[in-house]
Amino acid sequence: MDVGFGRNKKEQLEPVRARVTGKIPTWLQGMLLRNGPGMHTVGETRYNHWFDGLALLHSFTIRDGEVYYRSKYLRSDTYNANIEANRIVVSEFGTMAYPDPCKNIFSKAFSYLSHTIPDFTDNCLINIMKCGEDFYATTETNYIRKINPQTLETLEKPFKLDILKMATAYIRGVTWASCLAFHREDKTYIHIVDQRTRKPMPTKFYTDPMVVFHHVNAYEEDGCLLFDVVAYEDSSLYQLFYLANLNQDIEEHSRLTSVPVLRRFAVPLHAAQDAEVGSNLIKLTSTTARALKEKDNQVYCQPELLYEGLELPRINYAHNGKRYRYVFAAEVQWSPIPTKILKYDILTKSSLKWEEEHCWPAEPLFVPTPGAEDEDDGIILSAIVSTDPQKPPFLLILDAKSFAELARASIDVDMHLDLHGLFIPDADWDARKQTPSQEAWDRASDCHGAPQT
């Protein structure tokens, strides 16, 4: 199977028209904007990890039943420095760069690097975020880059985020902040913050060791905070995305030792001080998650295991911070690369799936039908990469209720596997501003885009 891991992808600067089969809903007008690594070799140097690749933006513009595709590399300072030096000169997640000012051939690159590259890379390859009326490419560092979604151009200089402000903005939908956990060898602590007082709960909540890439949702119910995460028992996923593993036989070298599991935690917001040691503080009938009282003001949280083999979760974000029912995600089993698209019903514990031979789907994104009342009334968009040389990549459009295929838009390009993105309805273009505003960050609750890594 070859989907081009580590192979540099070409830009598609001019829009190319897709071949549409099926029927696209007439109300679906807008742009699916996606982000992910697209360049892993610069000159004679090569990144070690797939997460290190230079950011390649791409978009599917849907209008009047037609689809147009384009792609362009993010012109980050990191990108510019690497291209100018014709080698990797900025360190990334899994690749350490060593610019050497003593060597004349690299002196120009080092001079450029030392004056323009921030203390962390601004190679924003993970996600797209809307903040106010502007759009930004984001990554795991606290730098973001403003972009023009219509042209995919990179605008202005890197913007440095206040991480604490942005973290609270993502979880402003509930009175109590969702879990912010840190890992130790024997346990993972769960921190709950009262957003009215900005003070943490005095009770020490913890659970078993786990690695979390993606949070799904969190909401309050009868004095408890419920939050759902996709968790691993170990860090094998990090290791599997080293290109040395991905470029070998994936079935042999890229097997997960811990599959991702959708876990639901329940935390009592008012832990009973007089409760007996060993008693379960969760009285909800909607979940089997438990919180067991221990000595020294500690509570052990045991999650409910909802679904095994689920990643890249998305929801109907009208239900963010509220009770919800459906998770739209990619299904993974032995490999970190998705093979199916999944709709999981938390209430009935049932699922619907889409799959096709030789197809590797990207993160599925839900777009609601205008005026919809049901949580799953809408469509699912997913960019599909094929390992069959006779089958070009395509944008898949599913009915979110039934998971029946409505249409697909095939494009004759070398499309890359991406990570995250968002859908921009045509209505969002009307009042866009062309200059950044500090007020946009002061009203950070207006920032949209799943907080995924």
Side-chain angles (χ1 to χ4, degrees):
M1 295 186 292
D2 179 21
V3 292
F5 281 117
R7 189 175 70 240
N8 290 355
K9 303 295 182 177
K10 293 182 179 179
E11 296 178 312
Q12 180 61 49
L13 299 179
E14 295 300 322
V16 58
R17 185 175 177 179
R19 180 174 59 85
V20 176
T21 56
K23 185 176 182 180
I24 298 175
T26 56
W27 58 263
L28 186 61
Q29 307 279 332
M31 175 190 294
L32 176 64
L33 182 60
R34 308 285 301 172
N35 196 357
M39 183 185 299
H40 289 87
T41 301
V42 184
E44 299 298 320
T45 58
R46 183 177 178 83
Y47 288 114
N48 297 325
H49 202 279
W50 188 65
F51 291 169
D52 296 343
L54 295 174
L56 180 56
L57 308 172
H58 63 160
S59 65
F60 297 86
T61 300
I62 305 169
R63 195 154 294 127
D64 299 327
E66 296 184 349
V67 178
Y68 292 86
Y69 176 87
R70 74 193 309 171
S71 65
K72 187 171 185 176
Y73 279 102
L74 183 76
R75 265 42 176 194
S76 62
D77 288 357
T78 297
Y79 174 94
N80 291 332
N82 287 346
I83 297 302
E84 181 173 334
N86 196 32
R87 69 187 298 267
I88 297 169
V89 295
V90 182
S91 296
E92 298 288 347
F93 169 80
T95 306
M96 183 64 69
Y98 299 98
D100 187 351
C102 299
K103 297 182 179 180
N104 290 334
I105 191 172
F106 299 132
S107 60
K108 183 177 180 181
F110 183 82
S111 176
Y112 179 87
L113 170 68
S114 62
H115 287 88
T116 63
I117 296 299
D119 47 345
F120 287 109
T121 176
D122 67 336
N123 176 33
C124 299
L125 77 156
I126 301 295
N127 209 342
I128 305 292
M129 175 177 68
K130 181 185 179 186
C131 197
E133 296 170 352
D134 299 321
F135 294 86
Y136 296 84
T138 70
T139 186
E140 307 297 2
T141 70
N142 59 334
Y143 285 93
I144 62 176
R145 296 303 305 250
K146 186 179 178 182
I147 61 172
N148 181 327
Q150 293 177 305
T151 64
L152 304 184
E153 290 180 294
T154 306
L155 308 175
E156 304 162 356
K157 291 294 184 181
F159 192 100
K160 191 172 184 178
L161 288 173
D162 182 327
I163 294 297
L164 181 60
K165 179 185 291 186
M166 293 308 299
T168 58
Y170 280 134
I171 51 184
R172 196 165 287 175
V174 292
T175 304
W176 295 82
S178 306
C179 72
L180 301 176
F182 64 87
H183 175 68
R184 237 178 56 181
E185 286 188 3
D186 56 345
K187 63 183 66 175
T188 298
Y189 284 102
I190 302 169
H191 296 269
I192 309 297
V193 179
D194 187 333
Q195 295 200 84
R196 295 161 298 193
T197 65
R198 296 296 192 264
K199 294 181 179 180
M201 289 185 65
T203 305
K204 293 183 178 179
F205 299 99
Y206 76 94
T207 188
D208 297 325
M210 62 179 183
V211 175
V212 175
F213 279 90
H214 298 116
H215 292 240
V216 184
N217 201 5
Y219 62 93
E220 295 174 38
E221 180 180 324
D222 296 335
C224 294
L225 177 65
L226 299 179
F227 61 89
D228 300 336
V229 299
V230 177
Y232 298 77
E233 293 180 356
D234 59 37
S235 60
S236 64
L237 188 69
Y238 290 102
Q239 304 302 317
L240 294 186
F241 275 100
Y242 276 96
L243 292 176
N245 295 324
L246 291 175
N247 287 329
Q248 299 186 59
D249 188 332
I250 291 180
E251 293 192 18
E252 180 180 351
H253 296 278
S254 294
R255 287 189 172 272
L256 290 166
T257 58
S258 168
V259 297
V261 178
L262 177 61
R263 305 185 189 189
R264 166 160 291 185
F265 288 86
V267 175
L269 295 176
H270 308 284
Q273 299 298 322
D274 56 349
E276 294 184 4
V277 172
S279 63
N280 180 19
L281 304 179
I282 304 300
K283 307 303 180 184
L284 301 177
T285 59
S286 62
T287 181
T288 60
R290 303 198 299 168
L292 304 178
K293 178 71 178 295
E294 294 186 348
K295 296 179 181 179
D296 302 323
N297 201 33
Q298 290 201 120
V299 174
Y300 168 65
C301 297
Q302 185 180 65
E304 176 182 2
L305 306 183
L306 295 175
Y307 194 90
E308 184 177 283
L310 176 156
E311 252 298 2
L312 299 172
R314 299 297 295 253
I315 64 171
N316 178 342
Y317 283 97
H319 292 257
N320 192 33
K322 304 174 185 177
R323 188 193 301 267
Y324 76 115
R325 180 172 177 176
Y326 301 107
V327 180
F328 304 100
E331 184 175 84
V332 297
Q333 294 297 331
W334 56 266
S335 165
I337 311 303
T339 56
K340 302 175 185 178
I341 301 175
L342 172 76
K343 174 187 179 182
Y344 178 68
D345 186 331
I346 295 173
L347 181 62
T348 65
K349 306 297 189 292
S350 61
S351 63
L352 295 175
K353 300 179 184 180
W354 177 93
E355 65 176 313
E356 189 168 299
E357 191 175 10
H358 306 303
C359 288
W360 291 11
E363 166 195 66
L365 193 147
F366 175 82
V367 181
T369 302
E373 295 184 0
D374 294 340
E375 183 181 338
D376 61 345
D377 185 357
I379 57 96
I380 296 295
L381 299 176
S382 179
I384 310 294
V385 172
S386 170
T387 57
D388 181 352
Q390 303 304 315
K391 180 182 294 185
F394 58 94
L395 174 66
L396 177 68
I397 303 175
L398 301 177
D399 179 275
K401 278 186 175 289
S402 66
F403 252 44
E405 180 174 332
L406 299 177
R408 65 176 60 186
S410 301
I411 46 173
D412 188 17
V413 298
D414 186 19
M415 192 170 77
H416 64 302
L417 285 171
D418 60 33
L419 289 168
H420 301 294
L422 49 70
F423 182 76
I424 309 171
D426 274 354
D428 282 10
W429 296 114
D430 294 343
R432 281 178 42 81
K433 295 179 180 178
Q434 297 304 314
T435 57
S437 166
Q438 184 60 44
E439 286 90 353
W441 298 107
D442 292 336
R443 57 177 191 273
S445 60
D446 194 25
C447 296
H448 305 288
Q452 299 172 322
T453 61

